[in-house]
Amino acid sequence: MYNKLTDELAVCGLNAIRALSDVHPEKINRLFMREERLPLFTGLCRQLAARKRPYKICENEELEKICKTPHHQGIVAMIYEPAVETAVPEDIDKWAADRKTGLLLCNIGNDHNLGAIVRSAAFFDASPVILTEQSTEEGDPRAKSLTTAAYRAAEGGMEYVEFRSVRRPEVFLKSASKKILTIGTDPRARVRIRDIPQIIKGENSRLQGIVLVIGNEETGLSAEIKEQCSVLARVPGTGVIESLNVAQATTLFLQELYER
């Protein structure tokens, strides 16, 4: 839940708040929790008091009103809305130099899928996660927001990945593919996920780093984006159902890339 008056986002869920407390406690402006959660977060409460930031013991009804969901697990933190910076050429250079595996998410509109993908990205050390920008009502480009639901589904993963955004992913990929192996996911691709290690060691071995390009469940990747990918790959299955859930498929690809 985003509060326009205070420019704050509600983050809820035990693991999400634990990660915030451990990694970025300075992001927390206000904290609300049931009384039984207090022993787990006494250190955070001391930090908030030192910064003159409030924390409050609440019942479930008030917590649900604050975060607009009953799935708060007894604790809610308010943070400023996360800013997602636009990717620049220097990011590609650093990505390649660090030989990192990252993600480019093309129009992933479901917050729960986004959160689940970020959870897997944190688990397999895939970062940055690049989001595609969309036009606002005023016509200005804006990256997809990181929402309360996405934070909860990520189970703390939001604190362990970097985020960037691009407005035209096909343009970004055209530039990135000169230095980074760009792997697009496509349920109709000839290459299978198990073939990826050989592809990495083959003619593409000169490329440093990997970007895994993920499309949404309704339309997948556009023809323009597929054209800019170094290779397209799929998760083989029976064909009874065309494809996996996008978060499940992403996890399988990240596991394969992690163990390459």
Side-chain angles (χ1 to χ4, degrees):
M1 190 280 298
Y2 173 62
N3 187 325
K4 291 183 179 180
L5 294 178
T6 61
D7 195 30
E8 289 177 316
L9 178 72
V11 176
C12 60
L14 190 58
N15 287 335
I17 304 301
R18 276 175 167 162
L20 258 177
S21 177
D22 290 344
V23 183
H24 293 298
E26 74 284 354
K27 289 184 178 180
I28 300 175
N29 296 326
R30 296 181 288 156
L31 184 67
F32 306 87
M33 60 188 151
R34 290 198 306 256
E35 188 168 7
E36 68 266 26
R37 294 300 188 204
L38 183 58
L40 296 174
F41 295 97
T42 52
L44 176 59
C45 290
R46 291 193 193 99
Q47 291 183 48
L48 289 169
R51 294 167 48 214
K52 299 182 179 180
R53 299 289 185 177
Y55 61 90
K56 181 182 178 183
I57 302 299
C58 305
E59 298 299 326
N60 282 333
E61 183 177 353
E62 186 173 358
L63 292 171
E64 185 172 342
K65 188 179 296 184
I66 293 167
C67 64
K68 304 300 182 185
T69 175
H71 307 297
H72 47 68
Q73 298 182 325
I75 188 161
V76 180
M78 300 300 294
I79 66 173
Y80 287 125
E81 184 184 22
V84 180
E85 297 180 3
T86 301
V88 296
E90 289 76 16
D91 290 322
I92 297 174
D93 294 338
K94 187 176 187 305
W95 195 341
D98 294 343
R99 302 177 66 88
K100 292 284 289 184
T101 293
L103 290 168
L104 172 57
L105 306 183
C106 299
N107 301 316
I108 303 297
N110 183 290
D111 293 330
H112 294 93
N113 280 338
L114 174 59
I117 289 170
V118 170
R119 181 178 182 178
S120 294
F123 187 83
F124 290 113
D125 189 28
S127 179
V129 174
I130 301 180
L131 310 175
T132 48
E133 296 176 355
Q134 301 170 343
S135 294
T136 64
E137 293 180 358
E138 293 77 20
D140 296 325
R142 179 190 177 100
K144 175 177 172 55
S145 299
L146 301 176
T147 65
T148 298
Y151 263 87
R152 188 174 66 251
E155 293 284 348
M158 292 287 186
E159 309 312 317
Y160 296 95
V161 302
E162 282 188 278
F163 289 93
R164 293 290 187 272
S165 68
V166 294
R167 187 173 188 184
R168 297 182 61 191
E170 68 278 8
V171 174
F172 169 81
L173 287 170
K174 185 176 182 178
S175 176
S177 60
K178 298 173 183 177
K179 297 181 179 181
I180 298 172
L181 178 63
T182 54
I183 302 174
T185 55
D186 183 355
R188 296 179 180 82
R190 293 176 60 186
V191 174
R192 300 165 301 173
I193 188 172
R194 71 187 69 168
D195 300 323
I196 288 177
Q198 285 71 38
I199 290 170
I200 293 172
K201 295 174 183 177
E203 63 183 30
N204 293 294
S205 60
R206 62 182 176 79
L207 300 173
Q208 306 298 308
I210 297 170
V211 55
L212 181 63
V213 189
I214 307 294
N216 66 42
E217 293 188 346
E218 290 76 23
T219 60
L221 298 176
S222 69
E224 292 81 6
I225 290 174
K226 289 179 185 179
E227 187 178 346
Q228 298 303 329
C229 291
S230 307
V231 63
L232 299 175
R234 64 181 171 89
V235 178
T238 63
V240 174
I241 294 176
E242 184 180 28
S243 64
L244 292 170
N245 166 274
V246 65
Q248 295 172 328
T250 301
T251 300
L252 290 177
F253 272 96
L254 288 176
Q255 191 272 337
E256 189 71 40
L257 292 170
Y258 183 77
E259 292 198 333
R260 69 187 190 274

